[in-house]
Short mmCIF file of all heavy atoms in Angstrom, two decimals:
data_model
loop_
_atom_site.label_atom_id
_atom_site.label_comp_id
_atom_site.label_asym_id
_atom_site.label_seq_id
_atom_site.Cartn_x
_atom_site.Cartn_y
_atom_site.Cartn_z
N ALA A 88 -2.27 -7.49 5.74
CA ALA A 88 -1.97 -6.06 5.90
C ALA A 88 -3.07 -5.21 5.28
O ALA A 88 -3.51 -4.23 5.88
CB ALA A 88 -0.62 -5.74 5.28
N ARG A 89 -3.50 -5.58 4.08
CA ARG A 89 -4.58 -4.84 3.41
C ARG A 89 -5.84 -4.86 4.26
O ARG A 89 -6.47 -3.82 4.48
CB ARG A 89 -4.86 -5.48 2.04
CG ARG A 89 -6.03 -4.87 1.29
CD ARG A 89 -6.62 -5.83 0.27
NE ARG A 89 -7.08 -7.05 0.92
CZ ARG A 89 -7.18 -8.22 0.29
NH1 ARG A 89 -6.86 -8.34 -0.98
NH2 ARG A 89 -7.62 -9.29 0.94
N ASP A 90 -6.21 -6.03 4.75
CA ASP A 90 -7.44 -6.17 5.53
C ASP A 90 -7.36 -5.44 6.87
O ASP A 90 -8.32 -4.79 7.29
CB ASP A 90 -7.76 -7.65 5.74
CG ASP A 90 -8.07 -8.37 4.44
OD1 ASP A 90 -8.30 -7.71 3.39
OD2 ASP A 90 -8.06 -9.63 4.45
N GLU A 91 -6.22 -5.53 7.55
CA GLU A 91 -6.04 -4.84 8.82
C GLU A 91 -6.09 -3.32 8.62
O GLU A 91 -6.68 -2.60 9.44
CB GLU A 91 -4.71 -5.23 9.47
CG GLU A 91 -4.69 -6.66 9.98
CD GLU A 91 -3.31 -7.09 10.44
OE1 GLU A 91 -2.38 -6.25 10.48
OE2 GLU A 91 -3.15 -8.28 10.77
N LEU A 92 -5.49 -2.84 7.54
CA LEU A 92 -5.52 -1.40 7.25
C LEU A 92 -6.95 -0.95 7.00
O LEU A 92 -7.39 0.08 7.53
CB LEU A 92 -4.64 -1.09 6.04
CG LEU A 92 -4.59 0.37 5.58
CD1 LEU A 92 -4.09 1.28 6.69
CD2 LEU A 92 -3.74 0.50 4.33
N THR A 93 -7.70 -1.71 6.24
CA THR A 93 -9.09 -1.38 5.95
C THR A 93 -9.92 -1.32 7.23
O THR A 93 -10.68 -0.36 7.44
CB THR A 93 -9.69 -2.40 4.96
OG1 THR A 93 -8.94 -2.35 3.74
CG2 THR A 93 -11.16 -2.11 4.67
N LEU A 94 -9.75 -2.31 8.09
CA LEU A 94 -10.50 -2.35 9.35
C LEU A 94 -10.13 -1.19 10.26
O LEU A 94 -11.00 -0.57 10.88
CB LEU A 94 -10.26 -3.68 10.08
CG LEU A 94 -10.87 -4.92 9.43
CD1 LEU A 94 -10.38 -6.18 10.12
CD2 LEU A 94 -12.38 -4.84 9.44
N TRP A 95 -8.84 -0.89 10.34
CA TRP A 95 -8.39 0.20 11.19
C TRP A 95 -8.92 1.55 10.71
O TRP A 95 -9.44 2.34 11.50
CB TRP A 95 -6.86 0.20 11.25
CG TRP A 95 -6.27 1.27 12.10
CD1 TRP A 95 -6.50 1.47 13.44
CD2 TRP A 95 -5.36 2.28 11.70
NE1 TRP A 95 -5.77 2.55 13.89
CE2 TRP A 95 -5.06 3.07 12.84
CE3 TRP A 95 -4.75 2.59 10.49
CZ2 TRP A 95 -4.18 4.15 12.79
CZ3 TRP A 95 -3.87 3.65 10.44
CH2 TRP A 95 -3.60 4.43 11.59
N LEU A 96 -8.83 1.80 9.42
CA LEU A 96 -9.33 3.06 8.89
C LEU A 96 -10.84 3.20 9.09
O LEU A 96 -11.35 4.29 9.29
CB LEU A 96 -8.98 3.19 7.40
CG LEU A 96 -7.49 3.40 7.08
CD1 LEU A 96 -7.25 3.30 5.59
CD2 LEU A 96 -6.99 4.73 7.64
N ALA A 97 -11.55 2.07 9.04
CA ALA A 97 -13.00 2.08 9.22
C ALA A 97 -13.42 2.14 10.69
O ALA A 97 -14.61 2.18 11.00
CB ALA A 97 -13.61 0.84 8.57
N GLY A 98 -12.44 2.12 11.60
CA GLY A 98 -12.77 2.18 13.03
C GLY A 98 -13.16 0.85 13.61
O GLY A 98 -13.68 0.78 14.72
N GLU A 99 -12.90 -0.24 12.89
CA GLU A 99 -13.26 -1.57 13.36
C GLU A 99 -12.08 -2.30 13.99
O GLU A 99 -12.17 -3.49 14.31
CB GLU A 99 -13.84 -2.38 12.20
CG GLU A 99 -15.11 -1.77 11.64
CD GLU A 99 -15.62 -2.49 10.41
OE1 GLU A 99 -15.31 -3.68 10.24
OE2 GLU A 99 -16.35 -1.86 9.63
N ARG A 100 -11.01 -1.60 14.16
CA ARG A 100 -9.79 -2.12 14.79
C ARG A 100 -9.19 -0.96 15.57
O ARG A 100 -9.07 0.14 15.05
CB ARG A 100 -8.85 -2.63 13.69
CG ARG A 100 -7.54 -3.13 14.15
CD ARG A 100 -6.64 -3.46 12.94
NE ARG A 100 -5.27 -3.59 13.39
CZ ARG A 100 -4.67 -4.74 13.62
NH1 ARG A 100 -5.32 -5.87 13.41
NH2 ARG A 100 -3.42 -4.77 14.03
N ASP A 101 -8.79 -1.22 16.81
CA ASP A 101 -8.30 -0.14 17.66
C ASP A 101 -6.86 0.26 17.40
O ASP A 101 -6.49 1.41 17.63
CB ASP A 101 -8.44 -0.53 19.14
CG ASP A 101 -9.89 -0.64 19.57
OD1 ASP A 101 -10.73 0.06 18.98
OD2 ASP A 101 -10.17 -1.43 20.48
N THR A 102 -6.05 -0.66 16.95
CA THR A 102 -4.63 -0.38 16.76
C THR A 102 -4.26 -0.41 15.29
O THR A 102 -4.90 -1.10 14.49
CB THR A 102 -3.78 -1.42 17.51
OG1 THR A 102 -4.11 -2.72 17.02
CG2 THR A 102 -4.02 -1.35 19.01
N PRO A 103 -3.22 0.32 14.92
CA PRO A 103 -2.76 0.28 13.53
C PRO A 103 -2.33 -1.14 13.15
O PRO A 103 -1.96 -1.93 14.02
CB PRO A 103 -1.57 1.23 13.49
CG PRO A 103 -1.65 2.04 14.73
CD PRO A 103 -2.41 1.24 15.73
N PRO A 104 -2.33 -1.44 11.89
CA PRO A 104 -1.86 -2.77 11.45
C PRO A 104 -0.42 -3.00 11.86
O PRO A 104 0.33 -2.07 12.15
CB PRO A 104 -1.99 -2.69 9.92
CG PRO A 104 -2.98 -1.61 9.67
CD PRO A 104 -2.82 -0.63 10.79
N GLU A 105 -0.01 -4.26 11.85
CA GLU A 105 1.34 -4.64 12.23
C GLU A 105 2.39 -4.15 11.23
O GLU A 105 3.57 -4.15 11.53
CB GLU A 105 1.44 -6.17 12.36
CG GLU A 105 0.52 -6.75 13.41
CD GLU A 105 0.81 -6.21 14.81
OE1 GLU A 105 2.00 -6.10 15.16
OE2 GLU A 105 -0.15 -5.89 15.52
N TRP A 106 1.97 -3.75 10.04
CA TRP A 106 2.91 -3.29 9.01
C TRP A 106 3.68 -2.08 9.54
O TRP A 106 3.08 -1.13 10.06
CB TRP A 106 2.11 -2.90 7.77
CG TRP A 106 2.93 -2.83 6.52
CD1 TRP A 106 3.63 -1.74 6.08
CD2 TRP A 106 3.14 -3.85 5.57
NE1 TRP A 106 4.24 -2.03 4.90
CE2 TRP A 106 3.96 -3.33 4.57
CE3 TRP A 106 2.70 -5.17 5.48
CZ2 TRP A 106 4.36 -4.08 3.47
CZ3 TRP A 106 3.09 -5.91 4.38
CH2 TRP A 106 3.92 -5.37 3.39
N PRO A 107 4.99 -2.06 9.39
CA PRO A 107 5.80 -0.95 9.94
C PRO A 107 5.36 0.42 9.44
O PRO A 107 5.17 0.64 8.24
CB PRO A 107 7.21 -1.27 9.44
CG PRO A 107 7.21 -2.74 9.19
CD PRO A 107 5.82 -3.06 8.72
N GLY A 108 5.17 1.33 10.38
CA GLY A 108 4.96 2.73 10.07
C GLY A 108 3.54 3.21 9.84
O GLY A 108 3.31 4.41 9.75
N LEU A 109 2.57 2.32 9.77
CA LEU A 109 1.21 2.76 9.41
C LEU A 109 0.54 3.63 10.47
O LEU A 109 -0.43 4.32 10.17
CB LEU A 109 0.33 1.56 9.05
CG LEU A 109 0.66 0.92 7.71
CD1 LEU A 109 -0.25 -0.29 7.45
CD2 LEU A 109 0.52 1.91 6.56
N GLY A 110 1.07 3.65 11.66
CA GLY A 110 0.52 4.51 12.70
C GLY A 110 0.59 6.00 12.35
O GLY A 110 -0.15 6.80 12.92
N ILE A 111 1.42 6.37 11.37
CA ILE A 111 1.49 7.78 10.98
C ILE A 111 0.19 8.29 10.40
O ILE A 111 -0.02 9.49 10.31
CB ILE A 111 2.64 8.07 9.98
CG1 ILE A 111 2.38 7.38 8.64
CG2 ILE A 111 3.98 7.69 10.55
CD1 ILE A 111 3.23 7.93 7.52
N PHE A 112 -0.70 7.36 10.02
CA PHE A 112 -1.98 7.78 9.44
C PHE A 112 -3.08 7.98 10.47
O PHE A 112 -4.23 8.22 10.11
CB PHE A 112 -2.42 6.79 8.35
CG PHE A 112 -1.48 6.75 7.20
CD1 PHE A 112 -0.67 5.65 6.98
CD2 PHE A 112 -1.37 7.83 6.34
CE1 PHE A 112 0.22 5.62 5.92
CE2 PHE A 112 -0.49 7.82 5.28
CZ PHE A 112 0.32 6.71 5.07
N THR A 113 -2.74 7.92 11.75
CA THR A 113 -3.72 8.14 12.81
C THR A 113 -4.47 9.46 12.62
O THR A 113 -5.70 9.49 12.77
CB THR A 113 -3.07 8.05 14.19
OG1 THR A 113 -2.50 6.74 14.35
CG2 THR A 113 -4.06 8.31 15.30
N PRO A 114 -3.80 10.56 12.26
CA PRO A 114 -4.55 11.81 12.06
C PRO A 114 -5.58 11.74 10.92
O PRO A 114 -6.49 12.55 10.87
CB PRO A 114 -3.46 12.84 11.73
CG PRO A 114 -2.21 12.28 12.31
CD PRO A 114 -2.36 10.79 12.18
N ALA A 115 -5.45 10.75 10.03
CA ALA A 115 -6.39 10.63 8.91
C ALA A 115 -7.64 9.82 9.26
O ALA A 115 -8.60 9.80 8.48
CB ALA A 115 -5.69 9.97 7.71
N LEU A 116 -7.65 9.20 10.43
CA LEU A 116 -8.80 8.36 10.79
C LEU A 116 -10.15 9.08 10.69
O LEU A 116 -11.11 8.52 10.15
CB LEU A 116 -8.61 7.75 12.18
CG LEU A 116 -7.49 6.71 12.29
CD1 LEU A 116 -7.34 6.25 13.75
CD2 LEU A 116 -7.74 5.52 11.37
N PRO A 117 -10.28 10.32 11.16
CA PRO A 117 -11.59 10.98 11.04
C PRO A 117 -11.90 11.51 9.64
O PRO A 117 -12.99 11.99 9.39
CB PRO A 117 -11.50 12.14 12.04
CG PRO A 117 -10.07 12.37 12.31
CD PRO A 117 -9.36 11.09 12.00
N HIS A 118 -10.97 11.38 8.72
CA HIS A 118 -11.15 11.91 7.35
C HIS A 118 -11.41 10.76 6.38
O HIS A 118 -10.54 10.37 5.60
CB HIS A 118 -9.90 12.70 6.93
CG HIS A 118 -9.57 13.82 7.85
ND1 HIS A 118 -10.17 15.05 7.75
CD2 HIS A 118 -8.70 13.90 8.90
CE1 HIS A 118 -9.70 15.84 8.70
NE2 HIS A 118 -8.81 15.16 9.41
N SER A 119 -12.63 10.24 6.41
CA SER A 119 -12.94 9.05 5.61
C SER A 119 -12.73 9.25 4.11
O SER A 119 -12.46 8.28 3.39
CB SER A 119 -14.37 8.58 5.89
OG SER A 119 -15.29 9.59 5.57
N ALA A 120 -12.82 10.46 3.63
CA ALA A 120 -12.59 10.70 2.20
C ALA A 120 -11.14 10.43 1.80
O ALA A 120 -10.85 10.24 0.63
CB ALA A 120 -12.96 12.14 1.84
N ARG A 121 -10.24 10.38 2.76
CA ARG A 121 -8.82 10.12 2.49
C ARG A 121 -8.46 8.64 2.57
O ARG A 121 -7.39 8.22 2.14
CB ARG A 121 -7.93 10.89 3.48
CG ARG A 121 -8.17 12.37 3.49
CD ARG A 121 -7.61 12.98 2.24
NE ARG A 121 -7.63 14.43 2.34
CZ ARG A 121 -8.05 15.21 1.37
NH1 ARG A 121 -8.46 14.71 0.24
NH2 ARG A 121 -8.03 16.51 1.53
N HIS A 122 -9.34 7.83 3.12
CA HIS A 122 -9.03 6.42 3.37
C HIS A 122 -8.75 5.64 2.09
O HIS A 122 -7.85 4.80 2.06
CB HIS A 122 -10.15 5.76 4.15
CG HIS A 122 -10.31 6.31 5.53
ND1 HIS A 122 -11.29 5.87 6.39
CD2 HIS A 122 -9.63 7.28 6.21
CE1 HIS A 122 -11.20 6.53 7.54
NE2 HIS A 122 -10.20 7.39 7.44
N ALA A 123 -9.51 5.88 1.04
CA ALA A 123 -9.32 5.11 -0.20
C ALA A 123 -7.91 5.31 -0.74
O ALA A 123 -7.27 4.35 -1.18
CB ALA A 123 -10.35 5.52 -1.24
N SER A 124 -7.41 6.51 -0.69
CA SER A 124 -6.06 6.79 -1.19
C SER A 124 -5.01 6.08 -0.35
O SER A 124 -4.03 5.55 -0.88
CB SER A 124 -5.81 8.30 -1.20
OG SER A 124 -4.57 8.59 -1.79
N ILE A 125 -5.21 6.02 0.95
CA ILE A 125 -4.27 5.35 1.84
C ILE A 125 -4.25 3.84 1.56
O ILE A 125 -3.20 3.20 1.67
CB ILE A 125 -4.61 5.64 3.32
CG1 ILE A 125 -4.42 7.14 3.61
CG2 ILE A 125 -3.77 4.79 4.27
CD1 ILE A 125 -5.00 7.58 4.95
N ARG A 126 -5.37 3.28 1.19
CA ARG A 126 -5.47 1.83 0.95
C ARG A 126 -4.93 1.40 -0.42
O ARG A 126 -4.64 0.22 -0.62
CB ARG A 126 -6.93 1.39 1.05
CG ARG A 126 -7.52 1.46 2.42
CD ARG A 126 -8.87 0.75 2.49
NE ARG A 126 -9.73 1.02 1.35
CZ ARG A 126 -10.73 1.91 1.33
NH1 ARG A 126 -10.99 2.61 2.41
NH2 ARG A 126 -11.46 2.08 0.26
N LEU A 127 -4.81 2.29 -1.38
CA LEU A 127 -4.51 1.92 -2.77
C LEU A 127 -3.31 0.99 -2.94
O LEU A 127 -3.41 -0.04 -3.61
CB LEU A 127 -4.29 3.17 -3.63
CG LEU A 127 -5.51 4.03 -3.90
CD1 LEU A 127 -5.10 5.28 -4.69
CD2 LEU A 127 -6.57 3.26 -4.66
N GLY A 128 -2.17 1.35 -2.40
CA GLY A 128 -0.97 0.54 -2.58
C GLY A 128 -1.12 -0.85 -2.01
O GLY A 128 -0.68 -1.84 -2.61
#
Side-chain angles (χ1 to χ4, degrees):
R89 176 203 59 205
D90 295 346
E91 290 172 6
L92 178 59
T93 299
L94 290 171
W95 180 59
L96 290 171
E99 298 175 24
R100 177 187 164 99
D101 293 332
T102 58
E105 299 300 317
W106 198 273
L109 287 178
I111 66 164
F112 297 109
T113 300
L116 292 176
H118 303 277
S119 59
R121 304 287 190 225
H122 295 178
S124 185
I125 295 168
R126 292 191 317 261
L127 291 176

